[in-house]
Amino acid sequence: VTNAAGGIRPEFQPGDLMVIDDHINFMGVNPLVGAWEPTLGPQFPDQSRLYDSELRDLLHRRAREAGFEAAHGVYLATSGPAYETPAEVAAFARLGANAVGMSTVPEAMLANRLGLRVCAVSCISNRAARAQGAATLSHQEVIEATRQAAPRMQALLTGKFATADDVPD
């Protein structure tokens, strides 16, 4: 799973890549709510190891092979569609979030329920409101930052993703 996210961690710069170790669902909804269909997985799936550690290691290895380091951290998802306020970003930092965005969590939770191995990468597309100061964030800046990061993202995600040599069963 990939996303564009605002960097909460002070050292994050637009264009950095962050492999997601864990997430905080601040969307106000849970994608698993509703009628349970046993063929789609457990009614109450374990979320404690949602982001596969071997796949995360593979992403870090690929980054090093491509000549850069990918950060790692906790992603917080909100429902959007608006960028966060400085007070929200400060609160999210206190909760332990390193990046914030408007996606990824529902997809990751559903994939986990289905028994799929999950990994996710955030392209830090902007410095979240707390770090922006008086600067106004525009969607065009986000698009440009993701465009500039595309070659590094491509290095992580193209080619054979998982072979017996890359990721043990």
Side-chain angles (χ1 to χ4, degrees), residues 48-132:
S48 63
R49 292 180 188 87
L50 193 149
Y51 298 95
D52 187 284
S53 63
E54 292 172 338
L55 294 177
R56 293 192 327 256
D57 289 346
L58 173 61
L59 292 172
H60 285 292
R61 194 166 57 247
R62 287 224 172 141
R64 284 189 299 278
E65 289 167 359
F68 67 94
E69 288 293 324
H72 64 91
V74 175
Y75 174 82
L76 185 141
T78 65
S79 62
Y83 298 116
E84 303 73 28
T85 70
E88 289 169 335
V89 172
F92 298 160
R94 285 192 294 279
L95 289 174
N98 303 119
V100 59
M102 301 173 226
S103 66
T104 301
V105 169
E107 298 92 327
M109 290 178 70
L110 288 169
N112 179 60
R113 181 186 214 173
L114 293 170
L116 300 173
R117 296 172 75 184
V118 178
C119 64
V121 179
S122 293
C123 172
I124 304 302
S125 58
N126 59 284
R127 298 181 75 210
R130 176 176 63 95
Q132 285 181 14

